[in-house]
Amino acid sequence: MGNSREEQDFLELYEAHSDAVFRRCYFKTSNRDVALDLTQEAFMRLWGYLAKGQRIDNMKAFLYTVVNNLIKDWYKKKKSIVLSRVEIVAEEIPDVSINIEEGAEVAHVIRMMERLDDGDRELITMRFIDGLSPRDIAEMLSEKENTVSVRLHRAVNRLREFLHGERK
Amino acid sequence: MEQLNRFQNVRMTGAERERVRAALHAYIALRPLQRENARALPSDLSMFLVRHRFFASVGVAFLVFALGGSTAVFAAESALPGDMLYSIKIAVEEHVIMPFARTPEQRVALETRRVERRLEEAEDLAIRGTLTAKTEALLGERITAHAVSAHAEASGIATPKDSDLAAHSYLESTLNAHGEVLATLAAEERQGIPASAAAEVTALVSAIKKTSRSIAIAEFKGKTKENAENAVTHAELSGVDLAVGENTSVEDDEENTKTEQYLKDAEKKMMESRATLASKMNIRAGAQALAAAEARLQVAEQVMREGRALLAAGDVKMARDLFHEARKIAKEVDVFVRASARVDLRSRASSNTSDDNRDGSVITPQAKDELLDGVDIEYDVGL
């Protein structure tokens, strides 16, 4: 008796999406351990749902809904955090699998992202942190793909302006 | 933007990915996909099938009892997967014996016993050389289901006693020991197992190891969580209550007493396993199996020595963990030796008796006693 086909599919899904899920959790919580826990919890919930025989039409969208809900729950429990998210990320990024220079640069970008409005920031997060395609984002936000592409393009330009403005 | 693309470099390390993967494996084992859920059937039809199977099983059990069928039940007791009476054996377990288990502790013991029975069935089929892919899959699924059920019941016990924790590790020992016996069976050419059956035995061993690993990981995770919660409680206490010195002293005494009890239990189990090994040494089990058992006992003794050294150094909790581990290994040896001896006996019976009687289907008085008293015996799961 080996793994069932469903188990194998599920574990393949985990291999394919675990980094993206982890990344989202990490950038949202600024805590590597919490991000790992949330990633694990997200996939467990997904399996729990599948094991009950529930139908999932769009696996990726479902996974991100679960992840977002977990992050929201985590924020509710963490109201007492004093340090700002950006400060913690700036400290922790070099600790991840990128070098110090890159870490500082990424931290700077994140700091600039804080200036964007919520919609733009979420779009950039979905595209560049979660690694979702414009089509996936469109499906999740119930929008047209070209609308998402245009919005994304504008959001990136706004971020670029912030970055250039900062350097001048 | 190049800077944005660098976000993709943030990822889990290999160790982190493996850790989460192992946790998912354990979780899958605890919440297996219901077979009927895996099929693309309309939900109403699935429900119909589930109900149909349930009522059919209950019907068989009632039929057996309505006919005053003790003979049928006894005959079914030695049935193996593929035999006509096997469904009665399972139905009796499920719908006649299980409902009598009222407490979680009793259900843990019974489910563990069911794991053992399925493993013994696999061994008997391997001896016969009739373990097919179908029966291997069936037994593998049942073993996992019973093990997961036992684990879930054990995890649900609100305030586990030491005996409950021991019952938990007995499940793991049972899986490991019988896994070893089956692996030996698959490897031993003298058993005359056809190559196809040997391959199925190997597949089953692999599934058993996977289940055992999942159970161990889940148990470890539960323990880690419990330790973390305890650590928080202690930290809160020490931060708030400055007069905690006296309480700590009382707690230390309790910890020491508990650890000494673990030490005594482990020593007792080591002695029992040694006695079992000695009693089978000249009679049944093969030299290779006995040598393996002896080697495992030596490992247990080494763990005990390390535990004693830690206890002497004042690391009470770590010492207790090692004594628990030593007891688990000793128990595993005990189960392994008994199972090896049983397999040896069956193998000899199989080669010495006629085909009609080769599976030992004649119920001996001992087998009857085991059937009648097995449940009660196994409540005290040899711990």
Side-chain angles (χ1 to χ4, degrees):
Chain A
M1 188 193 71
N3 282 354
S4 71
R5 189 175 55 77
E6 293 79 11
E7 282 179 35
Q8 283 171 1
D9 288 349
F10 174 74
L11 291 171
E12 274 175 29
L13 185 88
Y14 164 71
E15 290 298 338
H17 296 286
S18 54
D19 275 334
V21 169
F22 169 74
R23 216 162 16 242
R24 165 162 278 253
C25 296
Y26 182 63
F27 279 101
K28 291 281 182 183
T29 64
S30 310
N31 184 313
R32 195 170 184 85
D33 289 336
V34 171
L36 281 170
D37 281 350
L38 293 182
T39 303
Q40 181 178 311
E41 183 65 25
F43 281 97
M44 282 179 173
R45 287 199 184 180
L46 176 62
W47 175 259
Y49 201 80
L50 289 171
K52 283 182 195 164
Q54 309 276 10
R55 190 184 169 87
I56 299 173
D57 291 326
N58 184 331
M59 194 65 80
K60 211 182 262 185
F62 180 85
L63 188 56
Y64 278 91
T65 305
V66 170
V67 171
N68 286 338
N69 287 338
L70 285 171
I71 292 169
K72 277 181 200 163
D73 289 347
W74 182 82
Y75 268 109
K76 278 181 199 161
K77 288 176 193 166
K78 278 278 172 191
K79 279 181 181 170
S80 59
I81 288 179
V82 179
L83 288 171
S84 79
R85 188 172 72 86
V86 174
E87 278 168 345
I88 304 171
V89 169
E91 279 173 18
E92 290 197 358
I93 288 260
D95 205 29
V96 194
S97 48
I98 54 180
N99 62 42
I100 292 174
E101 274 183 14
E102 278 185 334
E105 197 169 1
V106 169
H108 179 65
V109 175
I110 291 174
R111 202 174 290 123
M112 290 301 107
M113 277 171 62
E114 294 291 311
R115 294 187 182 182
L116 295 170
D117 67 41
D118 289 348
D120 285 353
R121 190 166 53 243
E122 184 61 15
L123 268 181
I124 288 184
T125 302
M126 290 175 101
R127 180 73 186 100
F128 296 100
I129 293 177
D130 303 337
L132 297 172
S133 69
R135 182 187 285 183
D136 288 334
I137 297 171
E139 202 166 338
M140 286 178 200
L141 299 180
S142 303
E143 288 188 19
K144 287 181 182 169
E145 190 179 340
N146 61 337
T147 309
V148 167
S149 295
V150 171
R151 279 185 56 199
L152 196 55
H153 182 71
R154 286 177 184 162
V156 171
N157 276 341
R158 271 192 278 273
L159 181 60
R160 189 177 283 137
E161 282 167 19
F162 286 138
L163 285 166
H164 286 169
E166 185 77 3
R167 278 175 188 151
K168 277 177 188 173
Chain B
M1 283 178 76
E2 197 186 336
Q3 294 104 317
L4 289 177
N5 288 329
R6 285 191 181 139
F7 285 149
Q8 297 300 314
N9 292 340
V10 177
R11 56 176 73 100
M12 296 158 88
T13 64
E16 287 168 345
R17 192 190 313 283
E18 275 310 302
R19 202 173 78 208
V20 175
R21 195 183 165 90
L24 290 175
H25 265 297
Y27 188 77
I28 289 171
L30 288 173
R31 288 175 184 268
L33 188 74
Q34 300 299 309
R35 283 292 94 196
E36 56 271 21
N37 288 344
R39 292 178 195 130
L41 291 171
S43 57
D44 288 346
L45 183 55
S46 296
M47 279 307 295
F48 168 75
L49 286 174
V50 173
R51 285 180 191 147
H52 176 75
R53 286 183 199 127
F54 174 77
F55 285 118
S57 302
V58 173
V60 170
F62 270 107
L63 181 66
V64 168
F65 273 77
L67 293 173
S70 60
T71 307
V73 174
F74 280 129
E77 182 53 20
S78 61
L80 297 173
D83 293 347
M84 278 180 65
L85 293 176
Y86 188 69
S87 58
I88 293 180
K89 181 180 182 177
I90 297 298
V92 168
E93 270 183 19
E94 200 135 315
H95 303 294
V96 179
I97 297 174
M98 281 308 288
F100 282 97
R102 303 257 177 233
T103 65
E105 291 83 355
Q106 289 173 336
R107 285 194 287 275
V108 171
L110 270 177
E111 288 291 11
T112 306
R113 176 63 188 138
R114 293 176 85 190
V115 168
E116 203 163 21
R117 279 159 72 92
R118 298 297 87 80
L119 289 162
E120 287 170 359
E121 287 162 8
E123 287 160 4
D124 289 347
L125 287 172
I127 292 165
R128 280 189 188 182
T130 54
L131 187 65
T132 62
K134 194 178 166 190
T135 47
E136 179 268 316
L138 173 81
L139 285 171
E141 277 178 21
R142 284 188 190 279
I143 287 164
T144 303
H146 296 326
V148 165
S149 182
H151 174 80
E153 289 286 354
S155 304
I157 297 172
T159 50
K161 299 191 292 281
D162 287 347
S163 58
D164 297 327
L165 294 172
H168 211 149
S169 65
Y170 178 61
L171 171 65
E172 205 188 321
S173 301
T174 300
L175 286 165
N176 290 339
H178 282 273
E180 280 298 312
V181 171
L182 280 163
T184 310
L185 271 177
E188 280 183 0
E189 286 179 9
R190 69 178 177 81
Q191 299 290 348
I193 298 174
S196 59
E200 298 309 333
V201 175
T202 307
L204 184 61
V205 170
S206 164
I208 290 165
K209 282 183 178 166
K210 187 184 148 208
T211 303
S212 177
R213 204 163 49 237
S214 302
I215 296 289
I217 290 168
E219 189 188 6
F220 175 77
K221 209 179 160 194
K223 213 185 210 176
T224 308
K225 195 180 166 192
E226 192 184 318
N227 286 346
E229 281 165 2
N230 287 342
V232 170
T233 311
H234 283 296
E236 284 167 355
L237 273 175
S238 59
V240 173
D241 188 2
L242 293 173
V244 78
E246 287 179 21
N247 292 341
T248 308
S249 175
V250 172
E251 279 174 14
D252 285 349
D253 285 347
E254 283 176 5
E255 288 289 328
N256 287 333
T257 309
K258 206 172 174 183
T259 305
E260 277 166 21
Q261 189 56 48
Y262 268 67
L263 172 60
K264 281 181 190 165
D265 287 350
E267 283 172 340
K268 187 180 164 200
K269 184 50 66 190
M270 297 274 288
M271 281 176 62
E272 284 173 7
S273 297
R274 277 244 164 264
T276 305
L277 187 58
S279 71
K280 309 291 179 192
M281 189 71 81
N282 300 321
I283 312 171
R284 296 164 184 169
Q288 202 179 346
L290 293 174
E294 178 61 43
R296 288 292 286 159
L297 263 186
Q298 283 176 12
V299 171
E301 279 166 359
Q302 177 61 32
V303 173
M304 285 287 284
R305 276 197 290 278
E306 285 173 19
R308 285 197 188 94
L310 283 170
L311 187 60
D315 195 343
V316 179
K317 282 184 181 169
M318 183 61 87
R320 193 165 65 212
D321 282 349
L322 289 184
F323 295 146
H324 181 68
E325 184 63 24
R327 180 169 65 172
K328 193 157 77 179
I329 298 170
K331 182 67 204 173
E332 196 178 306
V333 171
D334 194 75
V335 176
F336 175 72
V337 173
R338 288 175 194 276
S340 297
R342 180 186 162 280
V343 163
D344 210 52
L345 187 67
R346 290 278 172 142
S347 300
R348 291 181 192 204
S350 177
S351 55
N352 291 340
T353 57
S354 68
D355 284 353
D356 291 337
N357 196 29
R358 67 181 175 180
D359 64 346
S361 59
V362 171
I363 302 295
T364 62
Q366 188 188 353
K368 279 186 184 176
D369 288 345
E370 192 188 335
L371 173 67
L372 289 170
D373 301 332
V375 172
D376 289 329
I377 288 168
E378 295 305 325
Y379 282 155
D380 171 23
V381 278
L383 303 164

